[in-house]
Amino acid sequence: VAATGKPYYTFEGKFAGYVGSCTDITLRKESEEMKNEFIGMASHELKTPITSIKAYVQLLISMYKNDTDDEFLQKSLTTVNKQINKLTRLITDLLDISKIESGRLSLNKEVFVLNELLRETIDEVQHTTTQHDIVFTEESELKVNADRDRLAQVITNFLTNAVKYSPGADRIDVHLGRVDNEVIVTVRDYGIGINEDEQYKVFNRFYRVEGRNEQTFSGFGIGLYVASEIIRRHEGRIWVSSEKKSGSAFCFALQAAN
Ligand code: ADP
């Protein structure tokens, strides 16, 4: 049952009581659950064939890696591989959504040095771009008690977005610092930026900034939603500050560990 209430006042403006309403939302909840279950099942079913296709493509790539004479073959294999990686990312994102919505997103927490994870993740994303130089600055060695893989996912999302949404820039800055009891990670790009009235919406499920994405930037508006849920589950904070045309700074803060 969903309940809402409002105070009501007499003509003289005196408080007179509350008016409340209750709605039976059983059906709504059931259909939400069914939709969620469907997303979970469909993405799970898609995962198996994609994994097998990926394995064969990897095999072909390693078999023909020395065959530099056949340019068409090399080009085709690289393209297929790239597209499969994209599909795999989408399927894992959908699986994550279904886990979040059904309360099945579990965390494997451990205490670790965040500096190392940042360096590893930056390295991986750096390999995907020749145009951007990702510059990392760190204050000191900082530890957190968190799920390593899930945090890597958040950082990767920030970084790949920074690359994607700054097509004219040549630099991305990543900073790791500490303020009081919090460890703060900032990923700053010098790209297209986000209007102030849209900034709080980018963490919503399936939200994409209107008007510009479809033509130039591919995506599904899932990454930041999943990232914000991961940080929320760690009892941390996530936010963005941005200015249209001069770039965005995506940040998250977690309690520091000893
Ligand atoms: P996707 O990039 O797949 O659409 P995300 O959930 O990662 O999904 O991002 C949601 C939206 O937020 C994007 O569609 C984009 O409009 C906006 N956005 C995210 N990161 C940036 C950024 N660094 N600069 C500008 N806009 C961004």
Side-chain angles (χ1 to χ4, degrees):
V1 173
T4 52
K6 264 189 174 174
Y8 76 93
Y9 300 90
T10 62
F11 281 126
E12 293 82 43
K14 273 194 189 150
F15 173 72
Y18 282 100
V19 186
S21 78
C22 293
T23 322
D24 184 349
I25 54 163
T26 318
L27 280 176
R28 207 196 303 165
K29 279 210 96 165
E30 270 172 12
S31 92
E32 269 291 312
E33 271 162 29
M34 268 168 67
K35 190 176 75 188
N36 199 26
E37 214 172 288
F38 173 75
I39 294 179
M41 260 167 43
S43 27
H44 194 78
E45 289 302 315
L46 284 169
K47 214 175 167 179
T48 320
I50 294 285
T51 312
S52 145
I53 297 171
K54 195 174 162 68
Y56 276 104
V57 172
Q58 298 291 343
L59 187 69
L60 286 172
I61 287 177
S62 66
M63 274 169 71
Y64 292 101
K65 69 171 183 282
N66 295 325
D67 189 355
T68 38
D69 291 343
D70 198 338
E71 210 180 302
F72 177 73
L73 178 73
Q74 295 296 340
K75 241 186 163 171
S76 312
L77 286 175
T78 316
T79 309
V80 175
N81 195 36
K82 261 195 189 159
Q83 298 302 331
I84 288 178
N85 285 341
K86 251 191 179 173
L87 257 180
T88 314
R89 184 71 261 148
L90 173 63
I91 292 165
T92 348
D93 279 351
L94 285 173
L95 271 171
D96 279 348
I97 286 197
S98 104
K99 277 186 195 156
I100 289 167
E101 316 245 307
S102 58
R104 285 182 296 115
L105 186 90
S106 55
L107 299 180
N108 286 320
K109 282 192 181 179
E110 55 176 326
V111 176
F112 65 91
V113 179
L114 190 53
N115 310 52
E116 282 164 18
L117 183 69
L118 271 162
R119 255 178 254 124
E120 282 165 25
T121 324
I122 289 170
D123 234 38
E124 270 171 33
V125 180
Q126 182 67 78
H127 278 113
T128 66
T129 170
T130 45
Q131 183 193 319
H132 299 85
D133 199 10
I134 309 178
V135 181
F136 180 40
T137 49
E138 53 202 314
E139 272 172 25
S140 57
E141 196 166 86
L142 293 169
K143 285 185 187 156
V144 286
N145 181 15
D147 185 315
R148 222 187 142 85
D149 292 344
R150 289 295 181 190
L151 278 201
Q153 192 178 345
V154 175
I155 300 162
T156 306
N157 174 253
F158 280 9
L159 285 170
T160 47
N161 277 348
V163 170
K164 181 160 70 172
Y165 296 105
S166 69
D170 59 5
R171 181 190 170 114
I172 290 163
D173 288 317
V174 180
H175 182 71
L176 172 66
R178 181 176 174 150
V179 178
D180 301 326
N181 265 340
E182 275 185 329
V183 170
I184 300 176
V185 173
T186 308
V187 175
R188 195 198 186 321
D189 68 61
Y190 301 89
I192 58 173
I194 307 165
N195 268 339
E196 206 179 330
D197 56 335
E198 296 202 85
Q199 284 173 24
Y200 71 99
K201 297 186 201 158
V202 294
F203 297 101
N204 292 348
R205 190 178 56 163
F206 302 132
Y207 189 81
R208 310 200 72 224
V209 174
E210 242 171 66
R212 48 147 147 119
N213 293 299
E214 295 76 18
Q215 308 109 31
T216 340
F217 309 102
S218 66
F220 292 93
I222 298 176
L224 283 175
Y225 167 69
V226 174
S228 72
E229 282 299 315
I230 291 172
I231 297 299
R232 196 178 62 80
R233 290 287 315 277
H234 281 88
E235 277 139 31
R237 301 183 295 122
I238 188 167
W239 70 98
V240 56
S241 61
S242 175
E243 220 173 280
K244 191 119 195 182
K245 293 202 176 119
S246 54
S248 315
F250 278 85
C251 312
F252 70 81
L254 295 179
Q255 198 70 22
N258 297 313

